[in-house]
Amino acid sequence: MRVLAEVHARDGYPVNWPDQPGEWLSHGPLLGSWVAELEGGLVGHVSLSQGGEGDLAPTLWSERNGATRGMTAVVSRLFVAPQARGHRIGALLIGQAVEEARRRGLHPVLDVVASDTAAAALYERLGWELMATVEQQWSPHQTVAISCYAAPS
């Protein structure tokens, strides 16, 4: 939770700080979660899950590919401690999640807040395809632009 709190303070991720961060990290139908360590300290995290309510990328990918949402896996909860950036930790974590999705015969997709340009730049450097950016209503008073990505085939 300490690393997540550091990322939230610096980058605003997650946009809305969860009441129970530990539960937020493990929420949903998880297929796996991975952490990264550097010099003996925890510095990163990523999860892979089945698409849930509010996940837009699985629907977009399945519609484009004549498939079902169940043929996708959602990469989420990716963060790297600010002091550990520049070591390719984010790319390694994404790679682990993608490998697990492919091992299960699923296509990796993800949603990211459009204002998180650093994350979008990472996904695009790794060859992920921007499928669309759409407005999503998170609450009666909060509408957020979400960019939906699919991993390269």
Side-chain angles (χ1 to χ4, degrees):
M1 300 318 109
R2 178 188 53 76
V3 174
L4 183 61
E6 290 172 10
V7 170
H8 178 72
R10 174 157 179 203
D11 304 324
Y13 177 82
V15 171
N16 299 322
W17 183 255
D19 292 332
Q20 298 180 358
E23 196 173 295
W24 179 81
L25 284 173
S26 61
H27 180 73
L30 283 179
L31 300 173
S33 289
W34 298 267
V35 296
E37 292 182 358
L38 182 65
E39 298 174 1
L42 183 67
V43 295
H45 176 276
V46 71
S47 290
L48 184 71
S49 63
Q50 291 290 314
E53 185 179 332
D55 290 321
L56 302 173
T59 300
L60 285 172
W61 184 86
S62 62
E63 288 172 355
R64 286 181 171 201
N65 291 280
T68 65
R69 281 176 55 98
M71 294 179 71
T72 64
V74 178
V75 177
S76 63
R77 311 302 195 242
L78 173 67
F79 57 92
V80 175
Q83 72 276 11
R85 294 178 184 165
H87 296 278
R88 296 196 32 84
I89 293 168
L92 291 169
L93 286 166
I94 290 170
Q96 185 64 47
V98 167
E99 182 180 312
E100 178 63 16
R102 295 202 191 286
R103 188 186 70 74
R104 292 171 177 262
L106 303 172
H107 193 89
V109 296
L110 61 82
D111 294 333
V112 62
V113 175
S115 61
D116 191 347
T117 56
L122 170 63
Y123 307 137
E124 291 172 11
R125 272 194 315 273
L126 295 174
W128 287 62
E129 174 195 358
L130 175 62
M131 295 183 289
T133 299
V134 298
E135 296 285 317
Q136 188 176 42
Q137 191 78 34
W138 282 7
S139 76
H141 307 289
Q142 187 179 31
T143 301
V144 180
I146 303 293
S147 295
C148 305
Y149 284 87
S153 296

